[in-house]
Amino acid sequence: MVSAAKSSISTGKASLAMLFDGISPGRSESLLRFRVIHFWEAKNIAKGGSFLGLELLLVDEQGTVMQGFIAASRADTYRGHLKAGALYTLQNFFATKSKEIYRVADQSLTISFSNGSVLSPLNDTDMHASDSFPSDRFRFHSHDDFQANSGLRGDLYDVVVHLRLVNGQSLIQRHVLDEAEITSMGYILVHLQSKDGPVMKLYLWDEAAKVFFKKFTSSEDTPSVLMVTTVNPKNLGGNLALSSMASSRVFMDKDIQPTIDYVNWLSSNPETAKRVNADEVTKVESMTIGQILAYIKQENAKEASFNCIATIDDVVRDNAWYYIACSGCQTKATRGPSSLMCAKYRATISVYDNKDKADFVLLGDAGSELTGKKAAELVDNYFEANQEVGVGHMMPAPQALIDTIGQTHKFKIKVSDLNLTGKIQAITVTKVVSPAVLPPLPSSAEFPIIVDDEVAAPTGSVSDASAHNAGDGTESTSNKVEGQMPKRPKYE
């Protein structure tokens, strides 16, 4: 370990506090002083959201940021004594290698609370030094940075931007967020734009969505600037999308200095701030089947178009797959057994994605885009080959349509008033955009984690200003080997 004398500061007491830069891997009895910027729960999403422990974001007097970890077995000992923004000392800890995915700090080590760890609030004699501790630290990325790191599950960076849309609604007039709608959807979707970048999507989940809702609805004026920390860049449907994590914090307008600076920039650059590619804001939103069905159930839902990637499961054969258009239309007339017919697609297909199923109706040219054959051509060929069939006979589903079973496509669909009123369940396809593959569902999953090792649970203690030990559990661990070291959960 690096000598404390080489990288320490005086606390005004006999003990010297080690700076974060002086920490080496392994057990240490050194004293640390830091500010707790933020802390949150780490959960194993792969195992039903089981609680793994508390993650902490810490900063020392030099402005060096490190991540901390308190195992689930010790969390109750320390949780009640932790407060974001407060200053603490920590005596005795174990420095472990930081996880390689979803890191929130640059340092390669994590401070893990271990056997005999003692957490104390910075005492009154040291409070004069509180101004020397930074109140926060941020790591901002641009659109290009996020694009380059999309899907890599690497470090999580911060973003500060101006708002364009909230749940698809413009901010020109004060938008009223529907709490029931947010609960139904499970997230808030905002379109946002940086100073020099294109429009991006940001999905706010869980606590981040709650904080956004509270700040947005309680603001006297419509918020214009949003900052979210530790966002995860993903590629959804070929487009960059940011996703909040359990570690994310949400700020708006005048909350903190970076948002204040951005508001001032917006004020001094009104024309630049308004400049935006309209296609990027108004382009059709990509939704899963489940999200589309949830949208239909919303009380204030309106007719809308969405893109949806789905796999064709079957062709519904109980209903006719085409219809006879009016004699005045401009499509090719097809001779039936006793009359001229103008055939167009109206085929119902059963589709599914990663989670849900639905019935889509291929209408008009959408059927041709899927099969590569015009309905009139297929009907003509059928009746030419089966001239003995009588008037009123309906052609069965053609092989060209049946052959699409198992194919995955991006469909442009339209939610109509008939869907919103419940008169019909099937959703109309207006265009088959392109072949596709099913993308992973947008998820609030923080860590697709697999814990390879159990987290050891030696007892720590918390002392308050009066030297009261809040942690009591020494007896329960008296039979443990003194040299036992806590193991950091391993994340995949």
Side-chain angles (χ1 to χ4, degrees):
M1 176 177 295
V2 177
S3 170
K6 293 183 180 179
S7 59
S8 63
I9 55 176
S10 172
T11 65
K13 299 182 292 185
S15 300
L16 294 178
M18 176 180 284
L19 294 171
F20 286 171
D21 284 343
I23 296 176
S24 297
R27 184 179 296 281
S28 175
E29 296 181 356
S30 298
L31 180 77
L32 300 176
R33 298 203 317 175
F34 51 77
R35 186 187 300 277
V36 175
I37 295 176
H38 182 48
F39 64 94
W40 62 96
E41 291 188 349
K43 295 182 178 180
N44 188 338
I45 304 302
K47 295 186 178 180
S50 59
F51 177 55
L52 292 174
L54 297 176
E55 302 271 10
L56 304 94
L57 190 63
L58 314 172
V59 62
D60 70 5
E61 291 175 77
Q62 284 191 331
T64 303
V65 176
M66 288 190 73
Q67 192 162 346
F69 180 73
I70 305 174
S73 56
R74 303 189 192 96
D76 288 342
T77 299
Y78 296 99
R79 191 197 298 265
H81 299 268
L82 291 172
K83 181 180 179 182
L87 298 171
Y88 297 91
T89 63
L90 178 67
Q91 187 89 48
N92 301 324
F93 60 92
F94 192 87
T96 58
K97 183 179 179 180
S98 297
K99 59 189 179 183
E100 296 182 357
I101 66 171
Y102 302 139
R103 294 197 314 170
V104 297
D106 294 330
Q107 296 295 98
S108 61
L109 296 176
T110 293
I111 299 169
S112 293
F113 287 44
S114 61
N115 280 337
S117 290
V118 179
L119 181 72
S120 307
L122 202 63
N123 63 40
D124 293 339
T125 62
D126 288 328
M127 288 307 292
H128 68 276
S130 63
D131 291 341
S132 65
F133 288 86
S135 60
D136 220 322
R137 273 292 184 267
F138 303 109
R139 306 190 301 169
F140 292 109
H141 258 193
S142 66
H143 172 275
D144 290 345
D145 293 328
F146 284 122
Q147 186 73 62
N149 291 278
S150 176
L152 298 182
R153 301 197 301 170
D155 281 25
L156 303 176
Y157 291 91
D158 313 322
V159 62
V160 57
V161 288
H162 49 282
L163 290 165
R164 287 298 182 187
L165 303 174
V166 177
N167 279 351
Q169 301 298 312
S170 171
L171 302 182
I172 296 176
Q173 296 181 339
R174 182 59 185 261
H175 177 50
V176 178
L177 289 178
D178 187 331
E179 191 169 8
E181 173 188 347
I182 295 170
T183 301
S184 174
M185 295 287 287
Y187 62 87
I188 295 175
L189 173 62
V190 296
H191 285 71
L192 35 84
Q193 186 176 17
S194 58
K195 294 178 181 179
D196 301 316
V199 172
M200 299 181 287
K201 297 175 186 177
L202 169 63
Y203 291 86
L204 295 168
W205 305 88
D206 304 327
E207 187 62 26
K210 294 177 183 177
V211 173
F212 181 94
F213 176 84
K214 182 178 180 180
K215 288 178 177 289
F216 191 92
T217 54
S218 63
S219 176
E220 292 184 5
D221 300 317
T222 301
S224 59
V225 172
L226 174 68
M227 174 178 158
V228 183
T229 65
T230 63
V231 295
N232 182 24
K234 300 181 179 182
N235 190 303
L236 297 179
N239 299 309
L240 173 67
L242 306 179
S243 179
S244 71
M245 307 289 273
S247 55
S248 296
R249 293 175 290 156
V250 176
F251 304 97
M252 291 182 182
D253 288 357
K254 301 292 186 178
D255 284 347
I256 54 174
Q257 196 59 48
T259 55
I260 293 173
D261 293 342
Y262 203 107
V263 168
N264 292 337
W265 176 85
L266 282 178
S267 299
S268 60
N269 296 271
E271 295 306 316
T272 303
K274 292 176 182 177
R275 188 173 65 238
V276 63
N277 184 339
D279 290 338
E280 291 178 328
V281 175
T282 59
K283 65 183 179 182
V284 176
E285 185 68 47
S286 292
M287 304 277 270
T288 66
I289 292 175
Q291 291 167 344
I292 294 170
L293 297 178
Y295 175 83
I296 291 173
K297 294 177 182 178
Q298 294 174 20
E299 185 175 348
N300 60 344
K302 300 177 181 179
E303 286 193 349
S305 293
F306 303 102
N307 284 334
C308 180
I309 296 178
T311 300
I312 300 171
D313 184 47
D314 201 358
V315 176
V316 176
R317 308 175 203 203
D318 294 339
N319 302 326
W321 64 273
Y322 65 93
Y323 70 102
I324 309 305
C326 66
S327 59
C329 77
Q330 300 301 309
T331 58
K332 175 184 176 182
T334 302
R335 183 174 300 279
S338 60
S339 65
L340 289 176
M341 297 189 301
C342 182
K344 288 187 175 183
Y345 279 96
R346 189 168 59 195
T348 303
I349 57 175
S350 174
V351 299
Y352 66 90
D353 60 13
N354 292 314
K355 189 176 179 181
D356 298 285
K357 294 182 178 182
D359 284 342
F360 284 179
V361 177
L362 296 165
L363 199 60
D365 292 339
S368 301
E369 293 165 348
L370 181 65
T371 65
K373 302 284 187 180
K374 291 185 177 295
E377 176 187 351
L378 294 172
V379 173
D380 186 37
N381 291 340
Y382 175 80
F383 283 112
E384 285 292 335
N386 297 274
Q387 296 186 11
E388 72 280 2
V389 298
V391 175
H393 177 80
M394 187 62 66
M395 173 186 170
Q399 191 62 41
L401 193 56
I402 295 173
D403 287 343
T404 65
I405 295 174
Q407 295 179 9
T408 301
H409 294 271
K410 178 188 285 188
F411 299 94
K412 183 177 180 181
I413 62 94
K414 180 180 180 180
V415 173
S416 69
D417 281 335
L418 294 175
N419 296 126
L420 299 176
T421 57
K423 293 181 179 178
I424 63 172
Q425 302 297 318
I427 302 168
T428 299
V429 174
T430 59
K431 183 177 180 60
V432 179
V433 180
S434 63
V437 294
L438 288 176
L441 284 172
S443 172
S444 58
E446 199 62 30
F447 306 103
I449 25 181
I450 298 174
V451 180
D452 296 326
D453 298 301
E454 291 296 325
V455 180
T459 301
S461 65
V462 178
S463 66
D464 59 20
S466 60
H468 170 72
N469 286 336
D472 185 11
T474 305
E475 182 177 342
S476 65
T477 59
S478 60
N479 294 328
K480 291 185 179 287
V481 179
E482 181 60 28
Q484 182 180 13
M485 297 183 179
K487 297 179 181 180
R488 179 85 166 111
K490 296 180 181 178
Y491 300 88
E492 182 182 66

